Amino acid sequence: MSPTETSSNTKREIQVEIPAEEVARETGVLIQKYQKLARIPGFRTGHAPASVIKQRFSEGIKSDVVEALVPRYFRKEAEKQGLVPISQPRIADLHVHDGEPLRFKASFEVMPEIKVEAYKELRAEKPTVSVTDEEVEQSLKNLQEQHATFTSVEGRPLADGDFAQVSLDGKPKNAAGEGEGKAAKPGPTGSNPVHMDEILVEIGGAGTMPEFTENLRGASAGDQRTFDVFYPQDFSDQRLAGKTFIYTVNIQAIKQKSLPELTDQFAKELGEFADLGEVRKRIREGMESEKKNTAERDAKNKLVAELVKRNDFEVPEALVENQIDLRLERGLRALAAQGMKSEDMKKMDLNRLRAGQRDQALEEVKAALLLEKIAEEEKIEVSDAEIDREVEALAEQSKQSLEVVRTRLTRDGVLDRIRHRIRNEKTLDFLYHQSA
C-alpha cells in the first residue's frame, strides 16, 4: 500500500490491513487470559467456556485486540513504506468484525525534506570590541562599594547620605494581598503584608523611594514612623504598579558608609594582585571578554534569523508543540525558583501562555532543523569526550555520582538533547567563523 498523497510535506496517511487469521489468533490468546480470571455465575473460576467468555466480554476483548495489534502493524506498515513517524498516529475508520481483517487508517507526521540554500553566503557582523578607561574605573568603584563598611553614628538625627538601619512592616492599603516576596528598595514584591528586619535604607539614595527619604529624614534611633508609599503605574515591578502600601518603620540605628581607599593594599586584599594596576588590567580583560561574548552571541542570533528567513519550509506540528512544552517548562521552573507557589501556577491560563510561545518555538525548531542539516553536509559531529564534559559538569552541580547522572539523563532522553545542542552550537560556530 502507498501512503495517501496530501498537499503537506510533513503529513502522511496510510491504510493498514491486519489479516483475519492474525486477528483470530490474538482474540484466542485474549479469551484464554479472560478465562483464567473471569468470575461468571454457574462456572468455577477458569472453567467458563470460550463461547461464554467471548459473548460476556466481547467489547473488552475487541478493545484489547485493537490495542495489541494496531500499534504493531502500524509500525510494520510504516517501515515497509520507508516512513519514519515523528508523531503519534491518529487512528480513523477502524473496522473490526469477527472473521474479517482488521482495517484502519493512520495519520501522522514525518520530517520534511530540507534543502539548505546558500548558507555559505551568510555573513555575520563582527563588531570591534573596546573597553574605555571610564568603564574600568566605574567597575573599580563598584568593587570599592562592595567592600564598604558601615559605622554607627550617635547624637544626631538622620540626614541625606546616612543609612537608616530599620525593621519594617508593610501592608497593602485598602486592598487584599496577592503574592509575597522580599523587598530590595525597600518594599514588597507582591501585595501581601511584608516584614523585614535590619535592612539599610539610604536617605536620599537614588534607589530609595522618595516617601522613605521624606519620612525618615530627621528621625533618630529608637523612633518609629508610619507612612504611605504609592507605586506609580509605570513602576518597574508590575506587581506593585499602581498600588499603595502603608509602612510602619522602626529606626534601630544610624549608619555612615566608609569606602576603602583605592591603594595597592586594597588590591592585595581583593586577591592575588600585586598592585592596583594589576586589578585594572584584570577588570579590563574581563570586560573585554564579556563584551566579545555578548557581541558574538548577538551576531550569531542575527545569523540564525537570516538562515531561517532564507529557508522557508513546513515544520511538523509535533515538533513545534514539543518546543512549546520545553519553553513553558523552563519558564515555570524559573517562576518556581523566584518563589511562585504551585497553587498560583495552576491558576495561570496555559492555553494563552502556549499561544504566546508559538512563534518563537516555531523559529527555534526551524533553526535547529537547518543547523542539523548543515551539520550533516559539513560532517560536524560530537565526540564522546564532549558529552562526558557536559555530564561531569551536571554531576558536579547536582552533587551526584557520574553514573547516577548519566543513567538518569539516558533514561529521560536528555543525553540525546545534549548531543543535539552541542552539535548545533558547533555548527553555528562553523557558520560564524566561515563568514569572515
Side-chain angles (χ1 to χ4, degrees):
M1 313 173 192
S2 61
T4 301
E5 291 296 326
T6 69
S7 60
S8 169
N9 192 33
T10 65
K11 294 180 175 62
R12 298 290 184 274
E13 182 182 89
I14 59 176
Q15 298 185 21
V16 182
E17 181 175 296
I18 304 173
E21 56 270 23
E22 179 62 20
V23 178
R25 187 197 66 77
E26 187 66 32
T27 301
V29 170
L30 286 165
I31 287 174
Q32 290 179 3
K33 289 182 179 179
Y34 273 71
Q35 277 181 308
K36 292 177 182 178
L37 301 172
R39 294 183 178 183
I40 299 176
F43 299 96
R44 286 183 296 151
T45 301
H47 288 78
S51 58
V52 174
I53 293 293
K54 187 174 182 180
Q55 184 179 12
R56 185 73 176 268
F57 301 103
S58 61
E59 290 305 315
I61 292 170
K62 187 184 292 185
S63 176
D64 289 348
V65 167
V66 169
E67 190 175 328
L69 295 181
V70 166
R72 189 192 316 164
Y73 275 82
F74 165 71
R75 287 194 299 271
K76 286 175 66 174
E77 186 62 32
E79 288 175 9
K80 181 180 175 182
Q81 297 188 26
L83 299 171
V84 182
I86 61 168
S87 66
Q88 289 297 320
R90 295 180 61 184
I91 306 302
D93 297 347
L94 190 62
H95 176 95
V96 191
H97 296 292
D98 287 345
E100 297 181 19
L102 191 159
R103 302 184 186 92
F104 64 91
K105 289 181 181 178
S107 304
F108 54 94
E109 289 187 295
V110 296
M111 289 293 292
E113 185 175 341
I114 301 172
K115 184 178 180 181
V116 191
E117 299 289 347
Y119 67 87
K120 291 188 177 180
E121 298 172 10
L122 290 171
R123 291 295 175 263
E125 296 178 6
K126 294 186 173 64
T128 303
V129 171
S130 62
V131 175
T132 66
D133 291 343
E134 289 77 10
E135 288 173 314
V136 173
E137 291 307 311
Q138 183 57 54
S139 182
L140 188 59
K141 286 180 182 178
N142 293 340
L143 274 175
Q144 190 183 23
E145 288 282 349
Q146 292 170 20
H147 290 78
T149 57
F150 294 87
T151 55
S152 294
V153 176
E154 297 180 356
R156 68 169 177 81
L158 280 162
D160 285 4
D162 288 338
F163 286 77
Q165 180 181 304
V166 305
S167 65
L168 61 80
D169 289 278
K171 59 184 178 181
K173 191 173 183 180
N174 301 326
E178 50 184 23
E180 57 186 306
K182 292 183 178 179
K185 286 201 172 179
T189 56
S191 299
N192 275 352
V194 62
H195 173 79
M196 303 189 76
D197 283 317
E198 294 189 357
I199 64 168
L200 292 174
V201 179
E202 183 181 6
I203 306 304
T208 304
M209 293 294 290
E211 292 91 337
F212 277 87
T213 290
E214 292 162 7
N215 286 279
L216 297 183
R217 184 190 287 125
S220 300
D223 287 353
Q224 183 181 87
R225 294 286 189 270
T226 299
F227 52 90
D228 292 350
V229 175
F230 172 69
Y231 296 91
Q233 290 290 350
D234 60 353
F235 191 68
S236 56
D237 189 336
Q238 287 302 305
R239 292 169 296 180
L240 288 174
K243 295 184 175 69
T244 298
F245 271 70
I246 181 168
Y247 288 99
T248 298
V249 180
N250 292 295
I251 296 92
Q252 300 164 330
I254 298 172
K255 302 276 188 177
Q256 275 193 326
K257 181 171 71 173
S258 298
L259 296 175
E261 290 186 40
L262 293 177
T263 62
D264 291 343
Q265 181 58 38
F266 174 65
K268 292 173 183 177
E269 291 171 1
L270 289 175
E272 297 179 359
F273 300 105
D275 52 34
L276 210 55
E278 192 173 338
V279 174
R280 287 190 172 95
K281 179 174 179 289
R282 190 76 60 85
I283 287 174
R284 185 180 294 276
E285 290 171 349
M287 294 181 79
E288 285 175 347
S289 176
E290 185 177 347
K291 281 191 174 186
K292 181 180 178 183
N293 290 337
T294 299
E296 186 172 312
R297 184 170 61 250
D298 291 343
K300 286 180 178 178
N301 287 340
K302 291 178 182 177
L303 199 64
V304 169
E306 183 62 26
L307 179 66
V308 170
K309 183 179 176 182
R310 292 189 183 193
N311 294 272
D312 189 26
F313 58 93
E314 187 178 0
V315 177
E317 186 64 22
L319 297 184
V320 178
E321 289 297 318
N322 287 342
Q323 188 65 18
I324 291 174
D325 288 341
L326 287 173
R327 289 178 63 84
L328 281 180
E329 183 184 338
R330 287 198 298 264
L332 292 174
R333 276 205 308 264
L335 290 174
Q338 293 169 16
M340 179 175 280
K341 295 180 179 179
S342 58
E343 55 264 33
D344 292 327
M345 289 188 188
K346 290 175 183 176
K347 296 175 186 175
M348 298 171 74
D349 187 345
L350 286 181
N351 288 332
R352 185 179 61 80
L353 289 174
R354 292 186 71 83
Q357 297 287 333
R358 183 172 184 78
D359 289 347
Q360 190 61 37
L362 177 60
E363 292 297 299
E364 288 171 353
V365 171
K366 280 186 174 182
L369 292 176
L370 288 167
L371 290 173
E372 285 175 15
K373 188 65 177 177
I374 295 171
E376 289 175 13
E377 296 190 12
E378 298 294 335
K379 297 180 173 53
I380 297 171
E381 298 296 340
V382 178
S383 68
D384 290 340
E386 289 172 304
I387 297 291
D388 289 342
R389 283 196 291 271
E390 289 276 337
V391 177
E392 286 167 7
L394 289 171
E396 187 175 338
Q397 288 173 15
S398 63
K399 294 181 170 55
Q400 293 178 306
S401 71
L402 196 61
E403 294 74 17
V404 167
V405 172
R406 184 180 291 278
T407 300
R408 174 171 54 81
L409 295 177
T410 303
R411 182 193 66 222
D412 296 342
V414 177
L415 215 56
D416 286 337
R417 292 209 296 268
I418 290 174
R419 185 178 293 276
H420 283 304
R421 175 178 57 77
I422 295 175
R423 192 184 191 202
N424 282 359
E425 287 172 355
K426 291 177 71 172
T427 307
L428 189 49
D429 282 339
F430 161 78
L431 287 177
Y432 180 74
H433 293 296
Q434 66 94 35
S435 69

